[in-house]
Amino acid sequence: MIDVLVVDDDFMVARIHCGFVERIDGFRVVGTASTGEQAVAAVDELRPDLVLLDLYLPDMFGLDVVTRLRAARHDCDVLVISAAREAEAVRRAVRYGAVNYLLKPFGFDELRTRLEQYAARRNAPRATVVSDQADVDRVLSRSGSVATPALPRGLSTETAELVERALREHTGTLSAAECANRVGISRVSARRYLEHFSGTGRAAVSLRYGAAGRPERRYCWVG
């Protein structure tokens, strides 16, 4: 089992996230915290494997919590869950070693995808010595440091590059329809590429709620 600490200053949001985690095989919630100080104390006491960390805490910025944990030599992983959309916040999270960055609000499927990816990397067999560059690339990929995952069947490298460029060059978020118009492909095709990038952690998904109907899924590039 992978033990998870949920850190969020909103009690109801934390409760929802705990419910999501408990529904995913191989994960269990061992505690919650609503402030940075509580998070540091909880990690010290509970020794979780993974911290779901909000950035906007009442007493400190979430990444300062990571600094405190590393200074105390805790080696737990951190998955950022935040409404912070500033590109610099995403870049800082990566520099601080976050295994992923998930924008609020998100649904169960978005979190499940990222936790299952994390579990796969964590549980993959680890060699003690690398024999060639391919081994180096695999090690870095497991740590979340690099790599461009292979495209699913039916997706082309050339179109993927166009969709990636559209996301990179746009300030804010894009819907599948907006991306399709920019790239010159169908909305259905654009959605497949966007969902691939989301599933591999290179694009973040947020939901825009309208007056009626299903919420619109919107995407932004996180690298």
Side-chain angles (χ1 to χ4, degrees):
M1 295 293 289
I2 295 175
D3 292 340
V4 179
L5 173 70
V6 175
V7 182
D8 198 292
D9 67 333
D10 187 312
F11 169 76
M12 288 305 299
V13 171
R15 185 174 181 180
I16 291 170
H17 293 169
C18 286
F20 284 171
V21 173
E22 292 288 359
R23 290 169 59 188
I24 303 172
D25 290 341
F27 291 84
R28 65 183 175 193
V29 176
V30 294
T32 62
S34 59
T35 69
E37 290 291 348
Q38 289 179 7
V40 173
V43 170
D44 189 55
E45 176 185 356
L46 301 172
R47 304 287 172 156
D49 302 302
L50 179 67
V51 178
L52 299 190
L53 179 65
D54 187 19
L55 294 186
Y56 295 138
L57 300 174
D59 56 342
M60 67 179 75
F61 192 55
L63 295 181
D64 294 330
V65 173
V66 181
T67 301
R68 293 270 300 273
L69 295 178
R70 299 301 178 242
R73 299 186 180 279
H74 292 301
D75 61 355
C76 57
D77 292 316
V78 174
L79 192 159
V80 172
I81 48 173
S82 178
R85 298 174 180 273
E86 298 83 358
E88 180 56 27
V90 178
R91 286 191 289 267
R92 284 186 63 194
V94 172
R95 289 198 298 269
Y96 279 53
V99 297
N100 217 312
Y101 193 108
L102 185 57
L103 283 175
K104 292 180 178 180
F106 55 82
F108 169 69
D109 288 338
E110 284 81 16
L111 181 62
R112 179 179 61 184
T113 296
R114 283 153 182 80
L115 290 187
E116 288 177 347
Q117 290 170 350
Y118 168 75
R121 291 196 302 266
R122 177 185 173 87
N123 296 329
R126 304 292 182 99
T128 57
V129 177
V130 294
S131 59
D132 54 25
Q133 184 61 47
D135 276 351
V136 172
D137 293 341
R138 280 190 289 271
V139 170
L140 292 176
S141 178
R142 287 172 189 153
S143 68
S145 300
V146 263
T148 302
L151 290 170
R153 176 174 295 182
L155 302 188
S156 73
T157 301
E158 294 78 7
T159 305
E161 290 175 352
L162 292 174
V163 173
E164 176 182 334
R165 184 182 306 167
L167 286 176
R168 284 181 178 274
E169 294 178 351
H170 182 72
T171 301
T173 62
L174 285 175
S175 67
E178 291 166 346
C179 182
N181 288 335
R182 287 171 175 263
V183 176
I185 57 178
S186 71
R187 183 188 63 81
V188 173
S189 293
R191 177 71 176 268
R192 289 189 64 198
Y193 286 94
L194 293 168
E195 286 297 318
H196 167 70
F197 287 140
S198 170
T200 56
R202 289 180 289 161
V205 180
S206 58
L207 301 179
R208 175 179 292 178
Y209 293 87
R214 297 178 61 184
E216 180 184 53
R217 293 172 67 83
R218 301 190 65 83
Y219 306 82
C220 69
W221 188 258
V222 297

